[in-house]
Each structure stands twice: as structure tokens, then as C-alpha cells.
Amino acid sequence: MISTHGMTRPADLSDVRTTNLAVVLRFVRTHAPCSRADIAASTGLNKATVSSLVTDLLERRLLRETGLTENRIGRPASMLTLQSRPYAAIGIEVAADHLVAIAVDLTGERLLTWRRAYPGLDGTPGRAEAAVAALAGRVVAKMAAQERRVLGLTVAAPGMVAPGGGVRFAPHLGRAELDLGAALERGLRHPEFEVVIDSAANLAALAEYRGGADADTPNLLALIGGVEIGAGIVADGRALRGSRGFAGQAGHLQVDCTGPICRCGRQGCLEAVAGLPALVRHALPDTAQDGPIVDFAPELERITALAGNGDAHVVKALTEIGTLLGRGVAMLAELLDPQVVVLGGSFATLAPWLLPAVETELASRAPGEIGCRVTASTLHPDGAALGGAMLALDRLEAGKLPAPAA
Ligand SMILES: [Zn+2]
């Protein structure tokens, strides 16, 4: 089953028992090791209910008893923790010039991190889709070899993900449309687990919300730099996606009314000044003669090295870009009032030089206009792939539980 737009809502829970199973699972994740009595005391569920729920979760191999006990008055209480062994959740990021695959166990512990170059800019129909499906197949096979059951696989796609798994407007993939859904369905041979396709920015936001330096901050925005720029929005602890799932297209906020023309046809969009092609052109003007850049990693490395050595031109260029990025952050902050804006992707790589300019721009606003902090992601460069893997864990805690083992 292929679907899009993850980050499940608690409202999806269909019945009370499923809700309560999810409550216990969430409690154990955040409080392990803990006893049945701890769960009952904190969740308000009665002891008999907790005991029955725990038995169910043990049978589904989602929890295990640690063998340790807590000495209480009366019988010693056996301590519970998440079962790491039998399950895996997979995330794959389709970046401009490479793929990243990450698998985690139920506790969020990494099982594998693979990076693969891939011909993203090659416009050959079906080639990018086939590369993603092939990598997905290899990760699933690896998990099967470890006798792990895959809970879910999420692909973090660039651009806008339409219902059905088509990815719209992914220009750096050389195409206007990318049909990942069908390719994955075929490549994975109609998997039993759920396959989700979501935008890289949404998943990066989920990763920050579940495991970043500002985890559990209910109003959080992840602003991801790259060839394209996207924002993932968490509002009141939920993903804010809009009516078509296209919310967060921060790349086309106009930050400089006299700026360069954007590929969208308008002038001075954030992407036209701070997207990777514009950023490289501005910081390294000598690259203009090289023609279109296919692989941005070496250019980014060069920019980082030059800025690190205090190269006046590069530092000035990054400061100017940081100021315009700050304008974009200010617009988003005024609209959404987040507690924190986490910069990811190329913005995280260049944060030492961008962030001071962003902060100066925000500080120049009227007092109280902007109430948020801006930080660089600590999950970079794996945020989107990690968010993809965490989505299956998120759905699990929202009640999408695997059936008990036969
Ligand atoms: Zn634009």
C-alpha cells in the first residue's frame, strides 16, 4: 500500500484499546525502563488494564521485560522497555545528487546508514525511480536477512508530493513529474508494510520533532536549504500540511524585490538567492563558466573551506545570503509563530556564516515581532531520511500496530 503525507494524527485512532496500546507504547519510549505500576500511575489507566495492554504489547514483541526489577512494597515489579530486536523502520531521502537510506529499530537506534550517488539530473524517464526502488529493495532485503520485520518505509522526496505518490516540480531531477509510488510498488513487489512518500522538508521537521536538539517543541519549523528550499511545519505538535499537502513552499517567498529572476518566473524568491545554484554562483563566481552544476557537494566543501579561512568574498556573500534568508525566516515566523526555526540541508552546512546574519536580520525587527530562536540542525545531513524512518515509529505510536506474532 502506497500512501503520502505521513505524521499521523491521534484522531486516526479507531478504538479505545488501540488508543490505550499507543499510550502505553509512547509512555515506555519516553520513560523506559518503567514498571506496569509506573504506567498506571502516570497514564491514569487502571492496573488491570495496563497489565492487559502490556501483555498485548509483549505478544506483539513491541515491549520486552528487562529482567531487572524495582523493589517496591510487596512483590518486586518487573521493568519494561521497548523491544529493539524484531522490527525496523526505513527512510530514504532522494536528494539532488545522492540517495540516503537509514534504518532504525523501535528504539530509534540506527541499524544502517547508506549513501549512494545517483543520476538525479539525468532526465531519462524512469531512471531515478528505478534507482530509488532498487535501493529500497536492498535495504528491505538487508533487514529481512537480520530477521527484522519492516514496519514501514518512507521516501523523502524533493519538491511537492501529490496524493498517490507522484512528485511534482522536482526540477533538479530534470523532470516535472516523478512517479515514485508506482516504481516502489513494483520494485518492492507489493509489500506488506506501508510505503509512504512525503516531502523531505516535512520529514526533516518530524525528525527534529522526535529526535533533534529541540525535540518535543510543539511549534517547530524546519527550513531546509538545497537546490530547492522547503519548510516542514509542526504546529501544536502536529504536521501542518495544507489542503493538498503542499504547505511549506518557502522557496518562493519574495525576499528581495530587486533580486534575480527565479525559475518560477518571479523575482527575488528565497530560492533564487539562497538555493544552492544561486548560492554557489554568488559565493564562487568563477564556477559560472563551468556550466550547470550536477554535484553540489564539492562546491559546498570549497565554500566551507574558503569561509573557514576567512576568505573575504565568500564570507561577504554568505552574510548577504544570510540576511535574505533572515527575511524569509522572519516572514515564516510572523505567519506561524514557531518557538524554534531549525535550519537544515545546505543551511546547516553553512550555518556558522549564515546564522549570525539571520539573527541580525531578525533582531532588526520591532521588539516582540519575532519570538523564535533559530538554530542549525544537529541531525544534518541525515534529517530527511531519519524522519522517513521515524515516520513508521510515529504511526506505530498513533495506533498502527503490527499484528501479534503467529
Ligand atoms: Zn520563485
Side-chain angles (χ1 to χ4, degrees), residues 252 262 264 269:
H252 301 284
C262 180
C264 74
C269 293

Side-chain angles (χ1 to χ4, degrees), residues 120-148:
L121 278 164
D122 177 331
T124 313
R127 203 166 159 200
E129 289 93 327
V132 176
L135 179 62
R138 284 199 295 278
V139 180
V140 169
K142 178 87 179 171
M143 291 301 106
Q146 293 181 5
E147 296 181 349
R148 288 181 186 273

Side-chain angles (χ1 to χ4, degrees), residues 91-94 132 153-157 180 184 195-199 203 388:
I92 295 179
E93 185 192 3
V94 182
V132 176
L153 181 148
T154 308
V155 177
L180 278 175
L184 284 164
V195 178
V196 178
I197 300 160
D198 202 347
S199 81
L203 293 168

